[in-house]
Amino acid sequence: MDKLIVEGGYKLQGTVNISGSKNASLPILAAALLTDEPVRISRVPDVSDTNYMIQILSQLGASVERSSGTVRIESPDGISSSASYDQVRKMRASICLLGPMMARMHRCTLPLPGGCVIGDRPVDLHVRAIQALGARVRVKGGNLVIEAPNGLVGTTVDMRGDNGPTVLGTDNLMMAAVLARGTTVIESAAREPEVVDLANFLNKMGARIEGAGSRTITIHGVERLHGCEHTVIPDRIEAGTFMVAGIMCSDTGITLNRVCEEHLGAISALLRECGHTVNFNEAGDSVFVKAGEKPTSGKILTAPYPAYPTDMQAQMTALFSVTPGISVVKDTIFPQRFMHCSELKRMGANIKVDSGTAIITGVEGLSAAPVMASDLRASAALVLAALAAEGTTEIHRLYHIDRGYEMLDDKLMSLGAHVQRVPDPDEGKAEL
């Protein structure tokens, strides 16, 4: 395992390219199982989560080739309907195999998935959705065993959960429904750009999906899908993370290319409200960010898209830690997602957490300390804090950040940061 050594205080400048979306890539890779013809997917980020998904597809019998961000997948007849626990346990998004496997083979055995420990994230909505299409579901030996001997049949399904619509649940139901008999209507569908990107990919394959990006998605089942080519949308969370980095750690500002202005509306609005400069070009695919001369505190209430994303609250907490005044962050999606706060406090941040809400009183500066990453976005927050802190910070459990940020250390170094990835001899001890 590796750790990241970050020398704080170096100012960022220049331009960085944002990678393709990790959260869009995973269901799109899984959807390649819906056809026996080749599909070619570009801008797939080289992160551990996409690598795990590719390994799972290969284990199922698909032929997978990867080169320079492009993945070619061909899934011939006879692919396995049982996924391996050793791979599935490593990431929660492996649950999105359920939809395409049931659509194509009408059966699957899928170990209950793993991933970041950021609160209760049950798969009951996925199970309820596939049952609504006519499947039988049982749990045996830690596996979901699902069968639909007579195939799947379209119906109306409400995907609202206790904390709002589920993105992967909407993805799974769309993928299951594209080859079902009749029409499926998803009520309370997730509206995230990643859902729209999956729908666009499926439509290129010959699916008939309408309404993606709205609360109601209609899928007219077809008999078969074919191969296609597709380019994954930019990663809006990586973009948001670098926007915060440019504000926390630059005097002159930085420019981000390969972004999508429409997807960054809530993040951009908050940064502007806090007094910072956020300027997109006319095409909306490049943005310049710079810290304001008189930054102000802010308030975050996370909610499903297009509201402020839960995946960006940790990064903004790092920024609020050095912003004058009192800021408030309330996470309605994952109320337990504040494990980064205790590590930020080790660096001198003034944060109080209670009942899913963090109250941050800005301090003049942070100081280096050894810290431990607890999940993907917490890792990003600690990197941002370390870049702005005085001294040299060691960030352990770097594997968390490798799940979702492509070449983060290389990108930061290209902007002038002093970071170094080194082996962590204490990693095994830390896990005990």
Side-chain angles (χ1 to χ4, degrees), residues 212-347:
S214 73
R215 283 286 180 250
T216 302
I217 300 176
T218 303
I219 306 104
H220 305 283
V222 297
E223 290 189 3
R224 66 183 303 273
L225 299 179
H226 54 72
C228 71
E229 295 187 2
H230 183 75
T231 299
V232 174
I233 59 173
D235 195 308
R236 60 193 173 101
I237 305 303
E238 184 194 15
T241 302
F242 272 97
M243 291 168 78
V244 174
I247 288 168
M248 288 185 69
C249 311
S250 178
D251 291 333
T252 58
I254 66 172
T255 298
L256 285 61
N257 291 332
R258 296 181 184 173
V259 301
C260 179
E261 180 177 7
E262 179 184 358
H263 299 168
L264 296 169
I267 298 169
S268 301
L270 177 63
L271 292 174
R272 288 172 177 142
E273 288 172 8
C274 293
H276 305 296
T277 297
V278 180
N279 291 332
F280 287 88
N281 65 353
E282 186 175 351
D285 59 6
S286 180
V287 62
F288 172 78
V289 294
K290 183 181 178 182
E293 295 182 1
K294 296 181 179 180
T296 61
S297 58
K299 184 176 182 180
I300 291 175
L301 180 68
T302 69
Y305 186 87
Y308 195 86
T310 178
D311 280 355
M312 273 299 300
Q313 63 96 336
Q315 299 90 314
M316 281 301 299
T317 298
L319 175 56
F320 286 153
S321 295
V322 291
T323 299
I326 298 176
S327 299
V328 179
V329 177
K330 182 175 180 61
D331 199 324
T332 67
I333 307 298
F334 297 120
Q336 302 174 33
R337 198 178 196 175
F338 288 98
M339 288 180 283
H340 52 282
C341 290
S342 60
E343 299 300 287
L344 290 173
K345 289 168 70 173
R346 287 173 51 79
M347 302 179 70

Side-chain angles (χ1 to χ4, degrees), residues 18-29:
I18 299 303
S19 299
S21 168
K22 185 265 292 189
N23 288 339
S25 294
L26 294 172
I28 288 174
L29 289 169

